Amino acid sequence: MNYKAIIGLETHVELKTKSKMFCGCSADYFGKEPNSHTCPVCLGLPGALPVPNKIAIEWCIKIGLALNCEILEFSKFDRKNYFYPDLAKGYQISQYDKPFCLNGNVILQNGKKIRIRRVHMEEDTAKLTHDQGDYSLIDFNRSGVPLVEIVTEPDFENADEVVEYLKKLQQIVRYLEVSDADMEKGQMRLEPNISLSKDGSLPKYKVEVKNINSFRFVERAIKFEFNRQKEILEKGESPKQETRGFSERKNETVSQRSKEEAMDYRYFPEPDIPPIIFSKSQIEKLKEGIGELADEKAKRLEKEYGITSYDAEILTRDKKISDLFESTASTFSHTASLTKKGNTDPKEIANFIINKKVDAETSPEDLASQIKNSNISGVVSPEELENAIEKTISEAQKAIEDYKNGKEQALQFLIGQTMRNLGKKANLDDVKSAILEKLKQRFS
Ligand code: ZN
Ligand code: MN
């Protein structure tokens, strides 16, 4: 029997605001002494009153806008009640029926649309440490850090689509400069929900896997769940609706608790924070402040600098790298500072950054001089190139015949052979076009 996976995703992203969501404590808690970033509000002491962080709300809305969501003009915070020591108040301030953003989407490479159900604002919880023996430790530094939750519809069919979406989401929040989305620091946490269906209709159960912190683990968790649920279904039974955890050591998911329904949380409007009302013009202003995102930037770099779409896509994966490329290309290309020839093609800068895996913190000046030095040691004169190609042609008659007969791979062989004959590094594109020119001469 063939089963189809139906996968949805909840992603939590920590914002890098200066202060926490509802108090003035510093949100920069990572690696700090436990319980040193706390106050009565984020410790949940009785009578302490929350004051929402305006910047955090604006950033949440920017994420929503970048994900093509509608922004609600009337939103509010709600209390999500549960009893667990990671939030001392006994509830989390979150958003229930009026989140800031609804109904967005992300388009995958293959054109498939992943629908975003909602993007809402909430607060992070304290961190519990359980592996100390017969007691647990609580660190409240993380308690109250602004957290944005992004929920998709169950539109994914496999782990590859999930990972592609996640990389895109990570890139978007980094371009917006609202989060570093560093998974190792827990700034981006993933919760896939998975169920299987024979005909693509939505099954009656769903299994949620909590708090995964790497793309690799989310992939493994999904694959593990697919096989586990398939086995159960093939026995004629139905998998339990539950929440599971992912064990990195065993590479499998483990049952944690039966899944709660929204009603179990007894959501109700947060009485200490009035509803948040936006005007259309305020939302419009936030939209204008979004700036250029990766896809747009890749298209522009391709057009403005004449680099390939492939290179543009790789460069824009990291905003800092794409900025480095652009500032180097706009300052140093077509000037005498880079090569003996007297100019440098932006393509050469792009190739150098990609092939040499240049560090994003490199300055444009430093990069320019690195390229210059590599050009001096590897510079190939037209005569040298001519000689190397002649040598290739005399040695590789068969490849030339093959190429003439339409075998495209033969060209790769000729390029490789010429590189070898040159005996030093040369620009691949230069060698390729010189060979093509030579072949054209011969065959015409
Ligand atoms: Zn605080
Ligand atoms: Mn949440």
Side-chain angles (χ1 to χ4, degrees):
M1 194 74 228
N2 277 333
Y3 289 98
K4 202 176 143 211
I6 296 184
I7 307 165
L9 201 63
E10 290 176 15
T11 309
H12 285 92
V13 173
E14 259 180 18
L15 300 183
K16 56 174 179 183
T17 49
K18 284 205 179 70
S19 55
K20 290 189 181 181
M21 189 60 220
F22 299 113
C23 63
C25 290
S26 161
D28 180 19
Y29 69 88
F30 192 82
K32 299 292 189 310
E33 191 195 334
N35 298 309
S36 59
H37 287 41
T38 59
C39 72
V41 173
C42 56
L43 285 172
L45 299 188
L49 289 173
V51 178
N53 181 331
K54 184 174 174 223
I55 298 285
I57 294 173
E58 290 180 352
W59 287 2
C60 174
I61 290 174
K62 278 189 173 184
I63 294 175
L65 287 167
L67 297 172
N68 307 306
C69 289
E70 327 161 1
I71 309 304
L72 298 195
E73 286 169 43
F74 178 96
S75 316
K76 64 181 174 66
F77 285 103
D78 298 274
R79 289 188 181 181
K80 180 182 182 179
N81 299 280
Y82 68 91
F83 184 73
Y84 195 61
D86 66 356
L87 272 178
K89 303 193 291 295
Y91 58 86
Q92 179 190 36
I93 305 180
S94 181
Q95 296 192 284
Y96 183 51
D97 55 338
K98 296 284 179 199
F100 290 123
C101 326
L102 282 174
N103 303 327
N105 61 69
V106 165
I107 312 283
L108 300 183
Q109 205 81 55
N110 63 7
K112 181 170 174 176
K113 187 188 264 188
I114 303 299
R115 291 168 298 159
I116 306 286
R117 182 181 297 169
R118 55 189 281 143
V119 176
H120 73 250
M121 184 86 245
E122 56 188 38
E123 56 180 333
D124 211 342
T125 60
K127 197 173 167 65
L128 292 170
T129 308
H130 297 295
D131 53 5
Q132 303 292 307
D134 55 0
Y135 59 92
S136 294
L137 296 170
I138 311 180
D139 174 9
F140 281 96
N141 286 352
R142 195 179 70 183
S143 168
V145 167
L147 200 62
V148 170
E149 181 174 329
I150 300 131
V151 185
T152 76
E153 296 292 342
D155 288 347
F156 302 97
E157 280 166 62
N158 55 53
D160 290 347
E161 288 181 355
V162 170
V163 171
E164 187 189 335
Y165 160 85
L166 286 169
K167 286 187 174 161
K168 204 149 195 161
L169 182 60
Q170 187 183 44
Q171 190 184 46
I172 287 171
V173 298
R174 285 179 177 170
Y175 265 75
L176 293 172
E177 293 178 344
V178 299
S179 173
D180 292 330
D182 184 335
M183 312 258 268
E184 280 171 19
K185 291 184 180 167
Q187 293 165 349
M188 184 169 169
R189 309 195 287 268
L190 324 169
E191 286 162 16
N193 55 73
I194 305 135
S195 48
L196 301 191
S197 163
K198 282 179 195 170
D199 52 8
S201 69
L202 227 47
K204 288 197 180 67
Y205 74 96
K206 113 182 146 178
V207 175
E208 193 169 302
V209 187
K210 279 288 194 197
N211 275 330
I212 300 179
N213 62 359
S214 96
F215 295 147
R216 202 157 27 104
F217 294 153
V218 84
E219 198 172 332
R220 289 189 192 159
I222 289 170
K223 286 181 178 160
F224 179 85
E225 270 307 301
F226 186 89
N227 292 327
R228 187 186 71 84
Q229 293 178 25
K230 190 172 163 208
E231 247 170 61
I232 295 170
L233 289 162
E234 276 170 350
K235 278 190 278 186
E237 297 163 18
S238 174
K240 263 203 314 219
Q241 167 116 346
E242 62 180 340
T243 298
R244 299 174 72 88
F246 181 69
S247 160
E248 296 162 18
R249 216 166 8 92
K250 295 187 200 149
N251 236 335
E252 59 185 46
T253 66
V254 257
S255 183
Q256 285 184 335
R257 53 176 197 250
S258 62
K259 172 75 184 153
E260 54 287 289
E261 302 283 339
M263 56 175 282
D264 296 333
Y265 290 120
R266 299 276 160 164
Y267 280 97
F268 65 84
E270 166 59 60
D272 292 335
I273 304 173
I276 314 271
I277 294 161
F278 283 97
S279 67
K280 280 201 173 66
S281 69
Q282 281 173 307
I283 295 168
E284 210 41 54
K285 221 168 157 192
L286 287 173
K287 206 175 204 162
E288 284 160 18
I290 278 185
E292 190 177 43
L293 296 176
D295 290 353
E296 260 174 275
K297 187 167 193 178
K299 279 192 201 111
R300 185 175 60 76
L301 293 182
E302 189 186 338
K303 218 168 106 195
E304 266 175 44
Y305 295 93
I307 59 174
T308 63
S309 64
Y310 179 79
D311 287 355
E313 193 270 321
I314 296 180
L315 290 173
T316 49
R317 276 180 201 169
D318 183 333
K319 184 171 190 278
K320 282 186 184 160
I321 285 286
S322 63
D323 287 343
L324 172 64
F325 164 77
E326 188 161 24
S327 50
T328 312
S330 59
T331 317
F332 294 100
S333 74
H334 305 299
T335 71
S337 51
L338 276 184
T339 63
K340 279 190 169 171
K341 272 192 289 180
N343 66 58
T344 288
D345 199 322
K347 271 186 223 158
E348 192 180 344
I349 300 171
N351 281 340
F352 192 89
I353 293 175
I354 294 166
N355 296 334
K356 295 268 160 48
K357 298 197 167 59
V358 171
D359 188 274
E361 304 298 333
T362 312
S363 71
E365 293 75 21
D366 196 25
L367 176 61
S369 80
Q370 282 182 39
I371 297 175
K372 191 178 172 187
N373 289 334
S374 82
N375 276 332
I376 290 165
S377 59
V379 82
V380 174
S381 70
E383 300 89 280
E384 279 178 301
L385 188 54
E386 173 89 22
N387 291 340
I389 294 174
E390 285 300 339
K391 189 153 185 265
T392 303
I393 287 175
S394 66
E395 291 166 347
Q397 284 301 325
K398 178 157 186 320
I400 289 165
E401 282 308 306
D402 286 348
Y403 181 72
K404 200 176 162 188
N405 294 327
K407 264 199 183 167
E408 283 292 326
Q409 312 94 288
L411 182 62
Q412 289 311 315
F413 175 78
L414 293 171
I415 293 171
Q417 206 58 31
T418 306
M419 292 291 225
R420 224 158 291 140
N421 289 336
L422 271 170
K424 57 175 152 184
K425 278 207 196 95
N427 183 304
L428 195 70
D429 289 337
D430 291 348
V431 174
K432 186 176 171 183
S433 55
I435 291 176
L436 284 172
E437 188 57 36
K438 230 342 164 244
L439 293 174
K440 219 164 79 190
Q441 286 167 17
R442 282 178 75 92
F443 297 151
S444 62

